[in-house]
Amino acid sequence: PDIVLSQCCCDRVGRMHVCCRAGDGKPRCWFGPMWPCLVLSIGLVIAPTMAVLVYFSAIRHSVPIGLVAAMAVLAAIVLLVLLLLATSDPVIVPRHSKKCGPDWRWHNTAESWVAPQTHWCPTTCVLVEELDHFCPLTNTVVAKGNFTLYMTFLVCAGGLFTMGLVTIAVGLVNIFDL
């Protein structure tokens, strides 16, 4: 379907900004309310990675180029997954004024009838399917629609951290001839 960009992300669902909608009007790209934390997260990926790579490869020339390339690629993957996660739909559920099933219950805060697996996120003020938590560092609700992407981000970020430690260790060993 055709994608229509909203005007400056002015459209909202709860406290979530809708960045773009499909031709049928359904939101396709979301942005959470804690964007400064997302900016911080991006900086926490870029700054240490660049510091390690510049110091040990460009200044000290103590790390093999293959290790430098691998760390740079992994950092790019972490950033890509982070941005995909930050703009992904966690499966936000519309509010219902009528009970749609026998196991539905009334949610006072949401002022809506909700299905059994639907939960209220107080940070974003939206109903989502299978809520896990709101993650301020990724600026998104982690729920059914993006849980796998969240786990991918955690694994890749852990891999980048480990790769950074390995790069520092190799660089120090080569600098001090250990």
Side-chain angles (χ1 to χ4, degrees), residues 61-64 169-178:
H61 305 289
S62 61
V63 175
V170 168
L172 291 174
V173 163
N174 289 337
I175 288 171
F176 295 111
D177 293 325
L178 299 175

Side-chain angles (χ1 to χ4, degrees), residues 99-105 114-116:
K99 192 173 185 177
C100 297
D103 53 352
W104 282 45
R105 59 184 164 65
V114 296

